[in-house]
Amino acid sequence: MIRSNRNSEKYIQAGLDVGSDKICCAIIEVDSKSNIVKLLGIGTSPATGIKKGSITHRDQLIDEMDNALQEAQTMADLIVEKLSLGISGSHIRGINTQGAIAIGNNNGSNVPIQHEITDGDVHRVLDLAKAVSLPVDRDILHVLPQEYVIDTMDSIKDPVGLTGRRLEARVHLITVATTAATNLASCAEELGVDVDGIVYQGLASSIATLSDDEKNLGVICVDIGATTTDIIVYHEGGIRHTATLEIGAASITNDIAVMLQVGIGDAEKIKQTYGSAKASMSSPDLDFELPAQNGQIKRKVSEHELSRYVEARMVEILQLIMREVSRADIKEKLTYGMVLTGGGSELKNLVGLAQETINMPVRVGHPVNLSGAVDVASRPIYASAIGLAQWKIFGEDLSLIQKTGNTFKGAMEKFKKLVKEFF
Ligand SMILES: Nc1ncnc2c1ncn2[C@@H]1O[C@H](COP(=O)(O)OP(=O)(O)OP(=O)(O)O)[C@@H](O)[C@H]1O
Ligand SMILES: [Mg+2]
C-alpha cells in the first residue's frame, strides 16, 4: 500500500477522518509479532466543506483533505497510496438480521451425519443474512457477525471446524446512503489515493478506544463530534446497535454565541477555556471578560453562568443518546456503561455530568495501545482517525469478507499478499 523501506514484518496503514470541524489523517505502523501500533504521522486541517456528513463545498473539502494528508505524510516521511475513509451522517442505519443454512447433505441416507463447518459455509450463511431488501439509494457498508448458532448451540464466535446440521448467523448490518459514500470516496480519490475501505466513523472510534472486556460485557461507545454524534452499542463481543444523531458539540458553541452575543470563534475559545459540563463545579465568583465589540464597554460573565448553558445543552445531547439506545433491542445489562470520545468528550467535567444523567459508569475514550508520537495523538479528538488507520488490521476481521480467517494473523496474511504486490 505504501512505499517504505522499513522492515517487511511491519505494516503501514492510513486512515482519513472527514469531520465537520476538522479533517484528520493518521498513518500507523503495526508490528505483526507484538500487535503494537506505532503512530508515524498525523495531520489535521480545519474543515469547512462538510456538515452533518453532507458535502457542502466539494472543492474546498478536497483541498482540506489534501492539507491533512500532506501534513501526515510529511511527518511520517512516506507517501500514502491507499487509505480507509471514514463516513458519518444521519443517513447511517444499523439493523440486526439473521440467515441460516443446512450443512452438507446426508446423501439420501436417513442416518444423521454431522458435517464439519468450512469457511465456505460461513460465507454462504453471511451472504444469506445480508440479503435484506434495501431501497435503491442505500448500500450495505458493513456486515458484522454477532454470533453463530449451530443446531441448538448459540453464542459461537467462530464456527469453522465445528460440526452440525444447521448453521445460523446473527449479524448487524450498517447501511449508508449510496450517494453520500460515492461522493466522499470520489473526493478522496481526487487526492491521488485509492480508497480501500469506507468505514463508519463510530465503528472506527470504537476500535481505537474500547477494550475486549468492554465489548464483551456491554458498552455504549459515543463519538461526540462537532455536528454529529455517533453511537455504537456492543454486547457479547458483537455490535448490537448503531446510529448517528445530527447534533454535536458545535451546538454548545452556538448557544454560547447567542447567549453572550459573541462570534462563533470567540464562543469556541470561551467554551474550551471556561466551560464546564457541570455548572455546580464552576465558581460563580470566577469571572472572565468577553471580547470588546465595536466600542462597547467590556462585559464580564461568571464561569458558573456560562456553564449553565453548557450543561443544559449537554444534558439534552445525553438524553438523545439514551433515547436512541433505548430503541435498541438490548435486554442485557451494559456493564461498562458509556465510553465518550471525539472532540466533544474533551469538555471539562463531562464524565461527572454524564454519570449523573444516565446513571451508568462513564469514561472518556482515548486511543489505546499506541506508541510513537502518542503525546499528540492520544486525545479523544483523534480516536476516529486512528481507528480508521487500524481498520484493515484490527477491524476488518469483524466484517464479512474474512476469507483467510477471522484472526489478526489471518488479516495479516491477507495483507502480506497485498504488500508483496507493491514491491
Ligand atoms: N477542549 C475542548 N473542550 C470542549 N469542547 C471541545 C474541546 N476540544 C474540541 N472540542 C469540541 O469538539 C468538536 C470537534 O470534535 P471532532 O473533531 O471530533 O469533530 P468532527 O469529527 O470534526 O465532527 P463530526 O464528527 O461531527 O463530523 C468541536 O465542536 C469542539 O468545540
Ligand atoms: Mg468526527
Side-chain angles (χ1 to χ4, degrees):
M1 169 195 171
I2 290 164
R3 264 177 253 133
S4 157
N5 54 8
R6 285 163 213 269
N7 181 327
S8 62
E9 287 301 302
K10 293 186 173 166
Y11 300 96
I12 298 168
Q13 287 287 310
L16 187 64
D17 170 21
V18 187
S20 41
D21 188 59
K22 56 119 193 38
I23 296 174
C24 180
C25 178
I27 305 174
I28 58 162
E29 182 181 73
V30 183
D31 187 309
S32 58
K33 291 197 184 85
S34 62
N35 286 5
I36 288 176
V37 176
K38 184 173 168 198
L39 184 76
L40 300 181
I42 193 148
T44 56
S45 160
T48 53
I50 188 163
K51 285 279 164 294
K52 300 182 179 180
S54 302
I55 298 170
T56 52
H57 300 89
R58 187 174 186 271
D59 291 347
Q60 220 164 295
L61 181 67
I62 293 168
D63 287 346
E64 291 162 352
M65 286 161 92
D66 199 35
N67 291 344
L69 176 68
Q70 298 300 336
E71 197 179 305
Q73 288 186 153
T74 308
M75 183 172 165
D77 192 23
L78 46 79
I79 304 290
V80 171
E81 290 177 353
K82 286 184 182 183
L83 49 74
S84 299
L85 185 64
I87 193 165
S88 182
S90 58
H91 58 93
I92 300 277
R93 305 254 188 291
I95 39 170
N96 294 323
T97 69
Q98 66 273 318
I101 55 165
I103 308 291
N105 64 57
N106 287 351
N107 296 329
S109 143
N110 61 356
V111 181
I113 303 171
Q114 294 268 313
H115 289 273
E116 200 169 285
I117 294 164
T118 62
D119 275 340
D121 295 323
V122 174
H123 284 114
R124 255 189 328 129
V125 77
L126 288 173
D127 270 344
L128 266 184
K130 69 171 191 177
V132 292
S133 99
L134 286 177
V136 281
D137 58 346
R138 297 194 69 78
D139 265 320
I140 294 176
L141 189 65
H142 301 294
V143 181
L144 306 162
Q146 294 167 330
E147 62 167 349
Y148 297 91
V149 183
I150 302 174
D151 300 335
T152 53
M153 289 190 306
D154 60 8
S155 305
I156 296 164
K157 293 291 166 197
D158 182 4
V160 175
L162 299 174
T163 58
R165 277 178 286 177
R166 178 182 180 274
L167 174 67
E168 179 181 333
R170 296 184 181 157
V171 301
H172 183 75
L173 302 182
I174 301 182
T175 68
V176 283
T178 314
T179 338
T182 50
N183 278 316
L184 193 62
S186 90
C187 288
E189 276 165 3
E190 292 281 327
L191 311 179
V193 292
D194 281 348
V195 176
D196 66 348
I198 302 182
V199 183
Y200 173 47
Q201 281 173 13
L203 181 58
S205 302
S206 72
I207 290 170
T209 56
L210 297 186
S211 68
D212 285 345
D213 279 354
E214 286 170 330
K215 290 179 194 164
N216 287 328
L217 294 179
V219 74
I220 309 161
C221 182
V222 179
D223 181 316
I224 309 177
T227 61
T228 59
T229 295
D230 297 321
I231 304 168
I232 186 154
V233 184
Y234 281 84
H235 192 266
E236 288 183 352
I239 292 161
R240 311 292 292 270
H241 187 71
T242 42
T244 293
L245 307 177
E246 274 196 1
I247 190 167
S251 308
I252 304 172
T253 315
N254 293 344
D255 291 348
I256 296 173
V258 172
M259 303 304 252
L260 303 182
Q261 296 285 294
V262 293
I264 292 286
D266 288 330
E268 182 66 46
K269 279 186 213 136
I270 291 172
K271 175 176 85 172
Q272 296 199 18
T273 320
Y274 307 106
S276 160
K278 269 186 89 170
S280 60
M281 289 178 85
S282 57
S283 164
D285 302 330
L286 286 175
D287 292 340
F288 62 92
E289 228 163 55
L290 293 181
Q293 283 171 346
N294 7 332
Q296 287 175 347
I297 44 162
K298 286 191 173 176
R299 290 174 294 153
K300 280 187 173 179
V301 175
S302 77
E303 288 187 12
H304 183 78
E305 185 186 343
L306 167 78
S307 301
R308 281 201 343 236
Y309 310 141
V310 176
E311 178 172 334
R313 180 61 80 172
M314 207 61 228
V315 166
E316 187 203 349
I317 295 176
L318 289 164
Q319 285 170 343
L320 289 170
I321 295 167
M322 290 318 285
R323 199 172 73 184
E324 183 58 48
V325 173
S326 68
R327 288 201 192 126
D329 181 26
I330 303 162
K331 291 176 191 73
E332 303 87 351
K333 190 170 182 301
L334 300 169
T335 311
Y336 281 95
M338 189 179 282
V339 172
L340 293 168
T341 189
S345 71
E346 299 199 6
L347 186 67
K348 281 197 261 322
N349 301 320
L350 180 58
V351 168
L353 177 80
Q355 269 169 347
E356 235 173 63
T357 313
I358 68 170
N359 205 13
M360 276 182 169
V362 178
R363 74 169 178 94
V364 171
H366 297 262
V368 286
N369 298 330
L370 269 185
S371 69
V374 282
D375 41 336
V376 241
S378 58
R379 286 180 58 191
I381 204 162
Y382 299 124
S384 183
I386 289 169
L388 286 166
Q390 294 181 23
W391 171 251
K392 283 274 149 189
I393 309 286
F394 297 112
E396 216 183 18
D397 67 330
L398 285 170
S399 193
L400 157 69
I401 322 293
Q402 32 178 277
K403 296 196 169 81
T404 49
N406 62 353
T407 57
F408 172 64
K409 228 174 167 182
M412 274 302 185
E413 287 310 314
K414 184 168 64 174
F415 194 59
K416 264 183 198 166
K417 276 189 212 145
L418 269 177
V419 170
K420 270 189 199 141
E421 284 168 20
F422 285 100
F423 288 97

